[in-house]
Amino acid sequence: MALYRKGSLTRRSRGHIAVTDLSPASFSADAPAEPSARTHIAPVDRLRELELGIPDDELAKFLSSLIVTVGASKGGVTKTTLARELGWWLDAVTVDLDWDLGGLTRLLGYLYENRKNAPLLDAFDTGRTPRPLKGGPYKSDFVPAHPDLSENQPTMDDTSTHLERWSGDWQRPVLVDTHPGGHPMAYGAMRVSRVIVVPTLLEHQSLMALEGQLDEMREYNILIIPTKVPPTPSALMIDRLQKISTKFDVPVGPPISRVEPLARRTLSMAVSAKRPVPRQYVQFVDDMRAVVKAVILHGLG
């Protein structure tokens, strides 16, 4: 596959027609058609559902500079799904730093191979604030990742600098999804985040990875979110999570239940976005509502 160089970044030239229009119509053309929801819920009403008890002006000021990062040392812990839902609930600009094809960019219906421009790589390269793709009422606005990001990662300091500047320019919440594991971009995002959401399974390997991650991130403001929790979770694993939480003085937020239909779902819209909520997802949306509330209150605290 041929390579071409733009600035300091090496990119793959894919031979597709360049698409530079970032309008909602342009974005949705990449995604498979989705059934329309009966109604959608406006950003302000999403927050009212949370019953935060915070004055509107205080909440608006807080959200205008809020940066939240979702990160985990281990894959397969519902990190990407969690990021998609959080981005929608917060009406955030979601920045995807996960270069794998199974990441958030693909989940939101963006097909990089149909485009020559790479907004995130261009922003890192030029120093300009990227213009987010419009997600409409059912997805967050976002800045898509690209596979070549794996070869062109900015340093931790540069990542922090970029995200802080973008947050200031956008004046909106910023939700950052990271590639699994510890790498400079992830730590750069976490360093400037008010809250770091760390999902984990109540399983041996996931809890081992969580303990290692918390040991390396003692200075960060972390909220642990148990995910894919079965109806009857293991008492042994719950006790182990409690010990990890106590050891590192990191709180555990509301759990997200295991919902089998999620594994088969192909729609790119946020699960929480459809009203009325489909019956098979009611528990998941209720769980997400509690998680979002916990994230905001943890950030305010």
Side-chain angles (χ1 to χ4, degrees):
M1 186 175 291
L3 297 176
Y4 74 98
R5 183 170 295 276
K6 180 176 181 179
S8 61
L9 299 175
T10 301
R11 315 281 183 75
R12 296 181 180 89
S13 178
R14 305 185 185 277
H16 294 282
I17 298 173
V19 178
T20 57
D21 178 18
L22 300 185
S23 66
S26 163
F27 167 54
S28 61
D30 280 345
E34 298 184 353
S36 59
R38 298 180 193 174
T39 60
H40 69 270
I41 178 169
V44 65
D45 292 325
R46 300 170 203 172
L47 296 178
R48 286 173 181 157
E49 278 194 9
L50 302 179
E51 299 180 348
L52 292 164
I54 301 168
D56 289 349
D57 56 346
E58 179 182 336
L59 182 60
K61 182 179 179 181
F62 167 74
L63 291 174
S64 69
S65 61
L66 175 66
I67 301 177
V68 176
T69 291
V70 181
S73 293
K74 189 178 182 300
V77 295
T78 319
K79 177 183 67 65
T80 300
T81 299
L82 181 58
R84 177 182 61 185
E85 301 299 311
L86 279 172
W88 179 83
W89 276 101
L90 295 171
D91 190 30
V93 176
T94 299
V95 178
D96 188 11
L97 299 182
D98 187 351
W99 54 84
D100 284 342
L101 293 185
L104 183 62
T105 290
R106 208 77 169 186
L107 187 63
L108 288 174
Y110 182 89
L111 307 180
Y112 75 90
E113 60 267 33
N114 289 347
R115 301 168 181 261
K116 277 192 173 180
N117 60 316
L120 184 62
L121 292 174
D122 291 342
F124 284 142
D125 188 26
T126 65
R128 291 194 295 267
T129 300
R131 182 161 56 119
L133 297 169
K134 295 296 183 181
Y138 306 117
K139 311 172 192 176
S140 64
D141 297 350
F142 80 111
V143 180
H146 193 283
D148 290 348
L149 185 60
S150 64
E151 303 167 1
N152 299 280
Q153 297 181 46
T155 66
M156 180 171 66
D157 288 342
D158 285 346
T159 302
S160 297
T161 298
H162 284 300
L163 286 172
E164 283 192 312
R165 185 173 66 252
W166 300 348
S167 172
D169 289 343
W170 291 328
Q171 290 292 296
R172 294 175 57 184
V174 176
L175 190 286
V176 185
D177 189 29
T178 60
H179 190 276
H183 52 85
M185 281 195 304
Y187 287 122
M190 292 173 183
R191 189 166 61 179
V192 296
S193 294
R194 188 75 66 93
V195 182
I196 298 148
V197 178
V198 178
T200 186
L201 304 181
L202 292 177
E203 297 176 357
H204 174 63
Q205 288 183 304
S206 289
L207 292 177
M208 279 200 305
L210 173 67
E211 189 166 9
Q213 183 176 1
L214 297 184
D215 191 39
E216 296 177 356
M217 298 173 58
R218 293 175 182 263
E219 72 275 22
Y220 294 96
N221 190 29
I222 295 172
L223 181 65
I224 301 169
I225 300 296
T227 60
K228 296 184 182 179
V229 177
T232 307
S234 164
L236 179 63
M237 294 296 103
I238 292 175
D239 180 65
R240 185 170 172 184
L241 177 59
Q242 181 60 51
K243 289 179 179 178
I244 293 172
S245 170
T246 302
K247 177 181 178 180
F248 295 101
D249 192 25
V250 174
V252 177
I256 297 177
S257 305
R258 183 173 65 199
V259 178
E260 297 297 343
L262 275 179
R264 302 185 296 272
R265 189 175 186 268
T266 59
L267 300 181
S268 61
M269 66 184 285
V271 178
S272 305
K274 188 172 181 179
R275 293 296 187 277
V277 178
R279 185 173 62 180
Q280 67 266 36
Y281 297 125
V282 167
Q283 182 62 59
F284 176 78
V285 173
D286 286 346
D287 292 346
M288 279 306 312
R289 190 179 290 111
V291 168
V292 177
K293 183 175 183 177
V295 168
I296 292 175
L297 295 178
H298 191 57
L300 283 167

